[in-house]
Amino acid sequence: MDNLIPAPVRVGANTPGEGFLPDRSTTLTAQPGTETTERWLRATLGAAFGLPLGPARPGTKEPGNTVELCLDPALGPESYRLVVAPGTGVRITGGDSAGVFWGAQTLRQLLGAEAYRRAPVASGPRRAVPFVEIEDGPRFAWRGLMLDVARHFMRKDDVLRYLDLLAAHKLNVFHFHLTDDQGWRVEIKRHPRLTETASWRARTKYGHRASELWDETPHGGFYTQDDIREIVAYAAERHIRVVPEIDIPGHSQAAISAYPELGNTDVIDTSSLSVWDTWGINPNVLAPTDNTLRFFEGVFEELLDLFPAATSPFIHIGGDECPKDQWKASPAAQARIAELGLHDEEELQSWFIRHFDTWLTARGRRLIGWDEILEGGLADGAAISSWRGYAGGVAAAEAGHDVVMCPEQQVYLDHRQDGGADEPMPIGYVRTLEDVYRFEPVPPGLSDEAARHIIGTQANAWAEVMQNRARVDYQVFPRLAALAEVAWSRLPAPEERDFAGFERRMEAHYARLDALGVDYRPPGGPLPWQRRPGVLGRPIEGPPPNV
């Protein structure tokens, strides 16, 4: 019981006995509404142990040798009760279908690392699940990971794998960063050049933008609309919401390279732009024209069809790091400011964001953006992802807006995990496993009403220096396990958290990650093949500011 991650709310005392050990006669019974978990258990535990987990025939159920899935709304959203008892076998009762699924994830952990394999292994006696009762439920409704596939493309199968990894940690939001200056990753049929042209770049900066190294291999890729539908359906089966991000009005050079009329043509020759091959904040931003608005309305129309409201109520529009220099120099942008009676370029960006907030709201969706969308005034129904620190999230929550806390200084997993010289392409502040475990999404001093607007937290993984799946694994794990516990469990104040106990539980969790083939950073430091000697990073020394 002492190796569950994230830690459950309550674990009852163990009942004496040998425990529950599923075998080929074990049956699986699922009440209506629990079908997603029924399918998942047969696919995962059935494969790992070579068991059919067939349904019980009427009148033939073997007492104590069944897994039963039930619903009881009194338990609350995403909550569950797991009971393993001599007379009943395993009963998982969820407050809703998601709660049943999270209870099944706990059962998988109790069965040991072998439950994470794709086929049975004969390495010794199987582990029985002890007779126990667990009651559990999440602290936050939004528990997520942002994965950047724009800077370095991640194949569809690798995205599906990450959805499984999120589910294994009871994380329920996948923030899918699909566009940026360095690539456009989703098929939009009415604008085919977004994938014909904007999804590929000729070469890539290797390391930090100040590095002199280049990878001369053309890089790119995109997801077809059917790929996206498959990803969304796969996530929904695992009770994960997908939040797609189309980054506007900044971080848009890839789109402008395909459709030059989207840029500020009265300031620069946008027809000369290509998909950006380096990193940083790009000066080439969208022009605030009616043509641009109509273009991206068309993009979002197709996007809403791909990401149904049931699984994607939020649409992320970016809104961050939008330099205003081109707008200041653009007669067309200045004329738009005058026409709208705005004071400056900050209010022009606010007008741009408000337009899409109104557009999305009319179609039953909610806009969310990075905390820069606060500048110039925030649209009434918009939520923010607070990334530059706590301050933007505090201001938004106090003003009555929902907030996802994901401050760069705390939970950006592209930041280095240690100060050692062997860390590959070291970026940013040192954020150890313990640092992430002691992260608190709700800052002190918030009013009770504002605190209720902190709807959750997520870790962000930006992929400038993560060229492939192994590098993503190295940066994300094991720290995502710590973030998962912060988001799910009701932990004490950061300084009072039992990190030593968490480390002990991680010893068992590393075996699970090994079985899943995750290339995590070992506690002792990077393995030889995980290092990138001689590739320039951008380490920042000292503790991160608490802003």
Side-chain angles (χ1 to χ4, degrees), residues 421-507:
D422 288 337
E423 289 302 310
M425 301 185 204
I427 299 295
Y429 297 102
V430 172
R431 293 286 83 192
T432 65
L433 182 66
E434 181 173 2
D435 291 329
V436 176
Y437 190 67
R438 297 194 188 279
F439 164 62
E440 173 50 48
V442 181
L446 274 185
S447 67
D448 290 343
E449 183 176 351
R452 286 192 287 272
H453 283 289
I454 309 298
I455 59 175
T457 184
Q458 67 182 37
N460 295 337
W462 299 100
E464 286 94 335
V465 297
M466 292 188 275
Q467 297 87 353
N468 52 45
R469 188 180 86 176
R471 280 286 290 127
V472 174
D473 280 3
Y474 179 89
Q475 292 299 133
V476 170
F477 288 99
R479 293 181 294 179
L480 190 65
L483 186 279
E485 184 147 310
V486 168
W488 177 277
S489 305
R490 290 160 177 79
L491 299 175
E495 64 277 6
E496 299 171 3
R497 293 176 187 172
D498 182 11
F499 179 68
F502 178 76
E503 278 192 306
R504 285 192 297 273
R505 286 182 285 128
M506 280 301 299
E507 292 176 8

Side-chain angles (χ1 to χ4, degrees), residues 173-188:
V173 175
F174 176 56
H175 179 166
F176 205 8
H177 184 76
L178 289 164
T179 73
D180 218 293
D181 300 299
Q182 295 85 1
W184 184 283
R185 305 293 179 221
V186 55
E187 179 187 24
I188 303 297

Side-chain angles (χ1 to χ4, degrees), residues 141-388:
W142 184 301
R143 309 179 303 278
L145 172 70
M146 190 288 303
L147 194 59
D148 169 24
V149 298
R151 273 54 176 268
H152 280 98
F153 180 64
M154 181 174 278
R155 294 168 51 247
K156 180 196 69 178
D157 286 352
D158 291 333
V159 173
L160 300 179
R161 172 180 176 265
Y162 254 84
L163 292 171
D164 281 328
L165 291 173
L166 294 187
H169 293 82
K170 298 186 175 73
L171 296 169
N172 68 343
V173 175
F174 176 56
H175 179 166
F176 205 8
H177 184 76
L178 289 164
T179 73
D180 218 293
D181 300 299
Q182 295 85 1
W184 184 283
R185 305 293 179 221
V186 55
E187 179 187 24
I188 303 297
K189 292 185 182 295
R190 74 187 69 186
H191 302 307
R193 294 206 300 273
L194 288 173
T195 44
E196 292 170 357
T197 300
S199 68
W200 290 90
R201 59 179 181 263
R203 63 175 186 169
T204 300
K205 176 67 71 172
Y206 191 49
H208 181 252
R209 59 181 175 269
S211 169
E212 296 182 355
L213 301 175
W214 292 88
D215 183 342
E216 299 292 342
T217 306
H219 178 86
F222 66 92
Y223 308 103
T224 68
Q225 294 203 349
D226 281 346
D227 289 338
I228 293 291
R229 292 186 178 97
E230 180 182 356
I231 288 168
V232 170
Y234 196 86
E237 281 279 305
R238 285 146 185 81
H239 299 277
I240 295 171
R241 288 178 288 162
V242 182
V243 179
E245 180 179 351
I246 302 295
D247 209 342
I248 54 176
H251 288 289
S252 296
Q253 181 162 317
I256 296 169
S257 73
Y259 293 92
E261 66 272 18
L262 296 175
N264 294 283
T265 56
D266 55 349
V267 176
I268 63 164
D269 178 11
T270 56
S271 65
S272 67
L273 297 177
S274 59
V275 178
W276 212 26
D277 56 13
T278 189
W279 321 122
I281 299 176
N282 190 297
N284 296 303
V285 302
L286 297 174
T289 64
D290 289 342
N291 176 67
T292 299
L293 297 181
R294 300 294 88 75
F295 182 96
F296 279 93
E297 286 172 0
V299 169
F300 284 118
E301 280 180 4
E302 294 194 27
L303 204 73
L304 296 189
D305 180 60
L306 299 174
F307 295 90
T311 51
S312 300
F314 286 91
I315 303 295
H316 208 293
I317 51 76
D320 64 314
E321 296 179 331
C322 178
K324 309 300 189 296
D325 296 340
Q326 290 184 358
W327 288 353
K328 290 177 181 179
S330 164
Q334 293 302 309
R336 175 53 56 104
I337 289 174
E339 171 198 340
L340 296 170
L342 305 176
H343 287 93
D344 54 23
E345 292 76 21
E346 300 293 345
E347 288 194 3
L348 182 62
Q349 176 167 335
S350 178
W351 164 80
F352 193 97
I353 299 300
R354 284 175 181 270
H355 173 86
F356 285 100
D357 178 71
T358 301
W359 191 93
L360 289 167
T361 299
R363 289 155 180 81
R365 306 301 180 94
R366 290 189 64 189
L367 178 147
I368 185 168
W370 302 109
D371 55 59
E372 283 95 330
I373 69 173
L374 288 165
E375 299 165 3
L378 184 60
D380 291 340
I384 76 157
S385 306
S386 188
W387 77 273
R388 291 181 295 179

